[in-house]
Amino acid sequence: ATGADNDLHINQAVVFIEDAIQYRSINHRVDSKSLWLYRWYYSRICQWILGLTITVILALAFVETPSSLTVTSDVRYRHPPWDPPCGLTESIELLCLLVFVFDVSVKSYLIGWEEFCKTKWLMAYILTLVVSLTDWIVSLSFLCTETVRIRRILRPFFLLQNSSMMKKTLKSINSTLPEMASVVLLLAVHLSLFTMFAMLLFARTKDGQQDKEWVGYFRNLPDSLTSLLVLLTTANNPDVMIPAYSKNRAYSIFFILFTVLGNLFLMNLLTAIIYNQFRGYLLKSVQSSLFRRRVGIRAAFEVLCPLEETPANAQELCVSVGDLFQVLQKVEMDPRCKQAIIRSLKTSSCDRLSAAQFQKLFEELDKDAIKQHPPSPEYQSHFMQKLQFVFSHSYFGCLGNVVALANIISICVVLVMDADKQPSERDDFFLGAINCFFILYYLLETLLKILAMGFKRYWSYPSNRFDGLLTGILLILEISTFAVYGFPHPGWRPELMGLLSLWDMVRLVNMLIVFRFLRIIPNMKLMALVVTTLLDLVKNLRAFAGILVVVFYAFAITGIMLFKGAVVPMGNIRIFVPGHPLHQEAVLISKKKKCDFLAFLNHFQTIFIYHLCYLLSFNLICRWAKIYFIAWWLISSVIWVNLFVALLLENFIHKWDRHCHRESLSDIEYQRTVELMFRDVLEEPTEEELMERLHQHPHLHLCR
Amino acid sequence: ATGADNDLHINQAVVFIEDAIQYRSINHRVDSKSLWLYRWYYSRICQWILGLTITVILALAFVETPSSLTVTSDVRYRHPPWDPPCGLTESIELLCLLVFVFDVSVKSYLIGWEEFCKTKWLMAYILTLVVSLTDWIVSLSFLCTETVRIRRILRPFFLLQNSSMMKKTLKSINSTLPEMASVVLLLAVHLSLFTMFAMLLFARTKDGQQDKEWVGYFRNLPDSLTSLLVLLTTANNPDVMIPAYSKNRAYSIFFILFTVLGNLFLMNLLTAIIYNQFRGYLLKSVQSSLFRRRVGIRAAFEVLCPLEETPANAQELCVSVGDLFQVLQKVEMDPRCKQAIIRSLKTSSCDRLSAAQFQKLFEELDKDAIKQHPPSPEYQSHFMQKLQFVFSHSYFGCLGNVVALANIISICVVLVMDADKQPSERDDFFLGAINCFFILYYLLETLLKILAMGFKRYWSYPSNRFDGLLTGILLILEISTFAVYGFPHPGWRPELMGLLSLWDMVRLVNMLIVFRFLRIIPNMKLMALVVTTLLDLVKNLRAFAGILVVVFYAFAITGIMLFKGAVVPMGNIRIFVPGHPLHQEAVLISKKKKCDFLAFLNHFQTIFIYHLCYLLSFNLICRWAKIYFIAWWLISSVIWVNLFVALLLENFIHKWDRHCHRESLSDIEYQRTVELMFRDVLEEPTEEELMERLHQHPHLHLCR
C-alpha cells in the first residue's frame, strides 16, 4: 500500500508542478483516476482538439446562409455566395456542441461539486450550451427557415471561457466600468445640454435662406443629437459648422467649445481613467498568477513529504532528492528549464531539500530565457580568418543596408517615371536588369555571412532568418522569371505565359524587396526599442485581441440579423418603407455595407453612422441602426482603443525604464511576457498565505 | 554708514523674498539703485503695461490689411474688411516695439553683463527686436505695399519670452524632441514603405474599368503619399479603400494593416513617449522652481545676518526678529501668508532665528490655501432656527436640482413639439408661462438660502455664486420681457418691439436655464472629481495654451502670407494656373477657407489637406499647401494633442491618488497648481547646494 501511496504522491506532485507551470489553480480532485483524467484533459492533443472545435464553430459564420463572403463586396457584381444545404452546417455545429458538452462535464467532474458552485464561468458555460442546443433543435424543426438564431450570438462565449487570460482581462475591464460609466454619463450630459443649446441657437427662422444650419443638422431632437454625436467622432467636423459659420463667425464658438470640451477633455479623460484603473488591475492579475504558481510548487512539496516523519522533526520538513528526480522525469515542461533544474539539483550536495530550497529550485521557471548564440566556426587558414573578420564586421551589414536602400530608391525612381505610362508602353527591362544584379548581391551577402558566421550562428539571429528567407524567395522568383520569360533585354515585356504575367512577377519581386528593407530596423537604436515595444505589445495583447474578436463576432452576427433585408442589389430593389425613393441611397449603402464581416475591422463606424442615418433619417431601420452603431462606436472605438492605449503606455513605460537601466546588457535577448514585465514590483507570497490556501483545498487533506 | 548698510541689506532681503515668492532667479544686481529699479520693473503696473503691449501687438493682426475678420466667412457675401490707412497700425506697432526695447534694456542692465551672456532668451529677444525694427523701416519706406512682413511671424516671440512657465514648458517639449523624432521617422518609414507597396499593388491595368483605385488615389507618388497620409488622419477612411475593396475583399488587408500599424500602434506610441518623457521633465521644472524659492529665502537670510558676528560664533548664524519684521513690512505678498508668518513669528519666544527656523517660517508659502467659509447667522427665534435647518439641509438643494431638471425637460418637450412648426405658427404662451413660474421658484430658492446661510456664507460657495448670478440675470430678462411684451397669454407672439424679439428673449432665457442646470455637477461625486480635474487642468494648462497661441499665430500669419491670392470671391475669379477650370473648386475652397484666423481653432486640418490637395492636385499652390498643412497637422494635432493627453494623464492620476487618500477631507478646497501637485515627490535642496548657488551669485559677495 505504501508503494501505491508513494506513486499517488509522485503523480500528485507532477500534476501540481504542471499546474504551477501553467498558472492553473490546484483546486481539482487528486485521486489516481482523476489525476490521470486531469493530465489527459490538459494534454496537448486534448487542448488542441478543443481549440480546433472553437475555431470551427466560429468559422461557421463565414459559410452559413446569410453570409456575404464573396470576392467582391459590391452587391451589383458579386455572385450569390455558396448556400450550404440545410443540415450541413447544423451537423458540424452539433458535433462542436457535443465536444463542448464533454468538455464541460470533464471540467466539472475534475473540480468537484463544491468548487463548481463557486465557478460562475462554468455555470454560464452550461447555460450557454443548453440555450445553444435548444436553439439548434428549434432551428432543425423549422428546417433552417427561421431568422433569429440566438446560438450564433452566443458562440464567441466558447472562445472567451477557454482562456484564463481573457477571463482575467474581462474582470479588469469589468471593474473599470463604474469609472467609465461616470465619464460616459458626463459625456451624455454634455451632449444633451449642447443639443438643447444648439436647438435654441439654430432655430428655424422666417427667412428660408438663413436657416441652412437648421435644415441640415438641427431639424429636430434626434437629428441634433446625431449631428453632435457625429461631431464627437470628428467625422463631420467642418461640414456641420460651415452653414452657421458662413452666416456669422461667432457661431464657431459653439462648435469649438463643444469639440474642445467633448473631444479633447472628456474623451481623453476616459483614456486617463482607463489607464489609471487598468494599470492596477493588470498588476493584480499578474500577482495572482504568481500566487498560483507558488501554491502549486508548495503543494508539490507537501505531497512529496514523507508522512512517517516524527512530529518532533516536523518543523523542518524535507523532500528526498530521489523522489524529486522521479517527479521531474514525469513532468512535461520546457526542456531548457528541466535541464537547468536537474543540473542545479545535481550540483547541490545535500540529499534532502527543505521547503525554501524546493521553492528556490523552481524559480528557474520565472527567469528570462537568455539566448546564447552558437559560436562562429574557427578557421585554420589565415586568409579565411581575414575573410571571417571582414564579413562578420558590422560595416558589412551596413553596406548591405546601403545596397538595399539603393535598390528601394531605384524601384521608387522607376515607379515615378512609369506612373503615367500606359501598360502597353511599359518596358520592364531596366527594372528587371537592376533587380537581377541586386538579388545577386543579396545572395552573395547571405553566402558570405554564412561562411563567416557558420550556418548555426547565422540562423540563430531573427534578422538573419528574415533576410535569408526573403533572399531565397527572391532568388526562386527571379530564376522562375528567367526560366519562363528569358533574360531581360530592351523591350522585355512579353505577354502572359505562366501563372503570372511578367509584370506581376516583377511587381511581386519589388514588393518583396521593399519588405526586405525592414531589416534595417534593428540597426537603429531608438527604432529598435520602439519596434520591440510593439512586438511585446502584440504578445501581451492576445487576451485583448481575443475579447475584441468576441465583441466583433457578436456585433457582426447581430448586424447580419438586424440588417439582413436592408441592403439589396440594384437590379431588384425592395425598400423597407414602401414608396420611399431610396434607389440612390440603397446603392450607396450597399457599397459601404456594414453587415459584412471583414469590413468591421476598419474604423468604418463613424462614417457609417453618419451616412446611413443621414440618408435614411426617416426610416424605421435607422432607429435601430443608430443605436447599433452608437453601441459599436462606444465599444470598439472609445473603450477598446483606450484600453489599447492604456496597455501601450504601461508596456512602453516599463520597457523604457528597463532600457535605461540595462543599457549595457542590450546584447541579451529577453523573453517578454506580461508576467516578466512586472517582475520587479511583484510581491512574493508568504509561507502562511501559501499554507492557508493549501488547507482550503477541497480534495487534498494535509495532515499537518 | 552702518545705517545705510543696514537699509541696503533690508532692501536686498525684501527683493530676495519677493524673488522667492515669484520663483524668480536672484541673479541680479543688488546695489540700492538697481534694487529700486528691479522692484519698479517687477511692480504690478509695469508688468501690466508690458502685458498690455504684448496683447496689443498680437491683436494688430485682426485689423491689419490682409485680415479677414468680418462677420460672415463666406467670401461671396461679406463686406470688404476695414482697411486702415498706411501708418496707423505701423505707428502703434512702433510704440509697442519701443516698449520692448525699453524692457530688454532694463532686463539686461539688471542681470549684468556676465549673466546676459548666459541668457540665450535675452539675446534672441534683442535679435527679434532688431529684425522687427528693420522690417518696420523697410515696410514704411515701401509705403506699406510690400507683401512679405517677417516681423509679423516674429510677434508671438514677445509673448513667449515674457512667461517663465512657457519657457520651461518649451524646454520640456524641446527635450522630448529626439524621442518624438524617432517615432516620426518610424512613421515616415512606415508611410513610404506602404506607399511603395500601394503603388505596386494598385498599379495601372489594361482594363480601364478595373483600376479605379489607381485613378482615384494612387496615380503617382505624391498622390499615393497624400492618400496614405490622409488615411493616417482617418479623414478619408473608408473612401480610399472602397474601390479596391469592391474589386476584391483581400485588398482590405493592406488598408487594415496600414491603419492598425500606423494609427493604432505608432500614433499611440507617440502618446506613450511624450507622456513618459514629459512626466519627468515637468517634475524637474517644478523641482527647479522649488530650488529657486529656497535659494531666495536663504539669500534673504544671509544678507540679514549681521556681519560683525565673531567667527567663533559663526557656526550658528542668526537673524534678529526685528529686522525680519522690517523686511516683512516692505515685502509685497499674499496678505494671508504675511499674516500667518507674522503670527507664527510673534508666537515664537526666541529673539533670534537660525537659518532652519527662517526657512521654516517661509514654508507657509508652499502650503495649500485652506478656504474657511464664514459661519451661518444664529437666529434667536425658534421658528427661524427651524427654517434655517430646513433650507440649509442638503435635501433642499436636491429639490432645487429636481425642479431645474423638470424645467429642462419641459423646455425639451416644447422644443420637440415645435420642431417642425413654421415660425408664424409658433405660440410662446406655454413656454413663457412655465418659465415664469420656474424663475419665480429659483428666486425663492435663492432668497431662502440666503436667509438660512447668511449672505456671506452663501456667496463664499462658487456653486451658489453661479446659481445666484444666473437667477439674477434670468429675473432681469423676464421682467424686461414682461415690461415690453406684457404677461403671457394664449397667442402670445407679438412682433419685434425692443432690441430683441420675444422669440429671441424666450430663447435666451431657455439657454440660460440650460446653462444653470450645470449646478447639479458638484452633487455627483465622481462627476465632481472629473470636473475638478478638468478645472485643474485648465489652470495648469496656461503655459501650454500660450505655446499653442504662439504656434497658431505663426501659422495663421504664414498662411495669410502664403495663400493671400489663392482665394477670391466668386464674382471675379482669378485662377492661379491660367486656363484651369477651377470655378467650382474655388468656391468650395473659399467656403472652407483656411487662412482665416478663427477657423484655425477647430480640427480643420485633416479635411482641408484632403479637400484642398485633392481639388488642386496639379497646382503649384498645392505643393506649398500640402507642406503647410502637413506641418500644421503634425504640430497641432499630433504633438499638441499628445502633450495635452500627457498632462491630463499626469494630472488625473495624481488627483485620483490624492482623492483616494484624503476622502475624508473632501470638504476642504485646495488651491491647485502644478507645484502643489508634485509636492509629495519633490526633494528639498540641501544646505550645501543652496550655499554653493549663493556663492556663484555674480553681484552678491558673501564674506563667508
Side-chain angles (χ1 to χ4, degrees), chain B residues 359-461:
Chain B
Q359 198 76 264
K360 203 171 156 52
L361 210 57
F362 282 94
E363 266 171 22
E364 190 64 38
L365 292 173
D366 305 331
K367 278 187 191 151
D368 297 336
I370 295 174
K371 212 173 173 182
Q372 292 272 334
H373 295 289
S376 300
E378 284 179 23
Y379 291 107
Q380 299 295 328
S381 134
H382 191 69
F383 174 70
M384 287 299 277
Q385 279 177 4
K386 246 186 185 160
L387 273 188
Q388 189 175 22
F389 174 76
V390 169
F391 295 123
S392 60
H393 197 278
S394 66
Y395 286 169
F396 186 62
C398 285
L399 179 67
N401 292 340
V402 170
V403 172
L405 184 65
N407 195 351
I408 290 275
I409 290 170
S410 69
I411 292 173
C412 202
V413 167
V414 172
L415 275 179
V416 169
M417 289 193 314
D418 283 359
D420 276 325
K421 275 191 194 160
Q422 289 290 335
S424 53
E425 296 167 19
R426 223 180 262 134
D427 188 348
D428 297 330
F429 165 64
F430 180 65
L431 206 57
I434 53 168
N435 274 352
C436 175
F437 283 107
F438 276 116
I439 289 167
L440 277 181
Y441 175 80
Y442 296 154
L443 181 67
L444 194 71
E445 189 192 5
T446 309
L447 291 177
L448 284 173
K449 269 195 177 167
I450 291 175
L451 179 80
M453 302 166 83
F455 183 75
K456 273 193 180 169
R457 188 176 169 80
Y458 177 83
W459 201 248
S460 71
Y461 288 96

Side-chain angles (χ1 to χ4, degrees), chain B residues 560-579:
Chain B
I560 287 177
M561 268 166 41
L562 280 180
F563 308 124
K564 208 167 53 177
V567 180
V568 283
M570 198 179 176
N572 173 24
I573 295 180
R574 282 171 291 135
I575 299 300
F576 234 62
V577 177

Side-chain angles (χ1 to χ4, degrees), chain B residues 619-635:
Chain B
N619 276 12
L620 182 70
I621 185 178
C622 186
R623 296 282 157 83
W624 289 106
K626 253 185 203 173
I627 293 167
Y628 175 80
F629 289 132
I630 290 170
W632 171 246
W633 169 72
L634 264 178
I635 289 175

Side-chain angles (χ1 to χ4, degrees), chain A residues 68 70-73 186 200-201 204 245-246 249 265 269 273 276 422 507 527 530 534 596 652 656, chain B residues 68 70-73 186 200-201 204 245-246 249 265 269 273 276 422 507 527 530 534 596 652 656:
Chain A
S68 62
T70 46
V71 172
T72 169
S73 69
L186 204 64
L200 289 164
L201 206 59
R204 191 172 196 169
Y245 182 68
S246 44
R249 278 169 201 268
F265 277 84
L269 199 68
I273 283 182
N276 193 39
Q422 289 290 336
R507 266 165 70 200
M527 216 182 241
V530 163
L534 293 187
D596 201 303
F652 182 77
W656 190 266
Chain B
S68 61
T70 45
V71 171
T72 170
S73 69
L186 205 62
L200 290 165
L201 206 59
R204 191 171 196 169
Y245 183 67
S246 41
R249 278 168 201 266
F265 277 84
L269 198 69
I273 281 181
N276 192 40
Q422 289 290 335
R507 267 165 69 199
M527 217 182 243
V530 163
L534 293 188
D596 204 304
F652 182 79
W656 189 267

Side-chain angles (χ1 to χ4, degrees), chain A residues 530 534 602-603 644-645 648, chain B residues 183-184 186-192 194 228-234 253-271 633 638 642:
Chain A
V530 163
L534 293 187
N602 220 323
H603 270 222
F644 181 85
V645 172
L648 195 141
Chain B
V183 179
V184 171
L186 205 62
L187 216 57
V189 169
H190 167 78
L191 201 65
S192 50
F194 267 89
L228 289 181
L229 186 71
V230 178
L231 184 57
L232 213 57
T233 70
T234 70
I253 295 169
F254 172 82
F255 292 100
I256 291 167
L257 217 68
F258 179 82
T259 310
V260 166
L261 272 179
N263 224 329
L264 216 56
F265 277 84
L266 292 180
M267 284 297 192
N268 287 329
L269 198 69
L270 208 62
T271 312
W633 169 72
V638 177
N642 278 325

Side-chain angles (χ1 to χ4, degrees), chain B residues 326-614:
Chain B
Q326 277 189 47
V327 169
L328 281 177
Q329 228 90 84
K330 283 190 169 183
V331 166
E332 270 183 35
M333 64 194 289
D334 184 23
R336 186 191 56 77
C337 276
K338 201 184 239 180
Q339 290 284 319
I341 292 172
I342 289 176
R343 208 182 309 126
S344 63
L345 203 57
K346 276 179 183 161
T347 52
S348 77
S349 54
C350 57
D351 194 35
R352 306 179 72 77
L353 294 168
S354 72
Q357 284 170 320
F358 192 85
Q359 198 76 264
K360 203 171 156 52
L361 210 57
F362 282 94
E363 266 171 22
E364 190 64 38
L365 292 173
D366 305 331
K367 278 187 191 151
D368 297 336
I370 295 174
K371 212 173 173 182
Q372 292 272 334
H373 295 289
S376 300
E378 284 179 23
Y379 291 107
Q380 299 295 328
S381 134
H382 191 69
F383 174 70
M384 287 299 277
Q385 279 177 4
K386 246 186 185 160
L387 273 188
Q388 189 175 22
F389 174 76
V390 169
F391 295 123
S392 60
H393 197 278
S394 66
Y395 286 169
F396 186 62
C398 285
L399 179 67
N401 292 340
V402 170
V403 172
L405 184 65
N407 195 351
I408 290 275
I409 290 170
S410 69
I411 292 173
C412 202
V413 167
V414 172
L415 275 179
V416 169
M417 289 193 314
D418 283 359
D420 276 325
K421 275 191 194 160
Q422 289 290 335
S424 53
E425 296 167 19
R426 223 180 262 134
D427 188 348
D428 297 330
F429 165 64
F430 180 65
L431 206 57
I434 53 168
N435 274 352
C436 175
F437 283 107
F438 276 116
I439 289 167
L440 277 181
Y441 175 80
Y442 296 154
L443 181 67
L444 194 71
E445 189 192 5
T446 309
L447 291 177
L448 284 173
K449 269 195 177 167
I450 291 175
L451 179 80
M453 302 166 83
F455 183 75
K456 273 193 180 169
R457 188 176 169 80
Y458 177 83
W459 201 248
S460 71
Y461 288 96
S463 62
N464 284 344
R465 281 204 292 273
F466 175 80
D467 206 16
L469 270 177
L470 275 183
T471 308
I473 295 171
L474 279 174
L475 196 69
I476 294 166
L477 266 178
E478 202 68 8
I479 289 171
S480 52
T481 307
F482 294 158
V484 178
Y485 297 102
F487 283 96
H489 52 82
W492 190 49
R493 46 180 171 80
E495 292 305 296
L496 179 73
M497 283 174 76
L499 269 170
L500 290 165
S501 72
L502 177 63
W503 169 234
D504 288 331
M505 289 287 240
V506 172
R507 267 165 69 199
L508 196 60
V509 167
N510 287 342
M511 281 187 216
L512 288 173
I513 288 172
V514 171
F515 190 55
R516 189 180 170 278
F517 185 66
L518 289 178
R519 59 171 246 167
I520 61 149
I521 287 174
N523 293 48
M524 298 167 83
K525 210 172 171 186
L526 265 169
M527 217 182 243
L529 178 76
V530 163
V531 170
T532 50
T533 311
L534 293 188
L535 290 180
D536 281 18
L537 210 63
V538 171
K539 281 186 191 172
N540 293 340
L541 215 71
R542 273 174 302 180
F544 277 94
I547 290 173
L548 194 65
V549 167
V550 167
V551 174
F552 269 164
Y553 199 92
F555 261 95
I557 298 287
T558 318
I560 287 177
M561 268 166 41
L562 280 180
F563 308 124
K564 208 167 53 177
V567 180
V568 283
M570 198 179 176
N572 173 24
I573 295 180
R574 282 171 291 135
I575 299 300
F576 234 62
V577 177
H580 210 282
L582 277 174
H583 292 234
Q584 190 56 30
E585 282 83 341
V587 177
L588 259 170
I589 300 158
S590 71
K591 270 190 189 167
K592 305 186 173 183
K593 190 165 160 263
K594 177 79 181 173
C595 320
D596 204 304
F597 199 75
L598 268 171
F600 265 131
L601 268 165
N602 219 324
H603 269 222
F604 275 31
Q605 64 280 8
T606 54
I607 306 291
F608 276 114
I609 297 178
Y610 182 56
H611 272 281
L612 203 69
C613 290
Y614 179 73

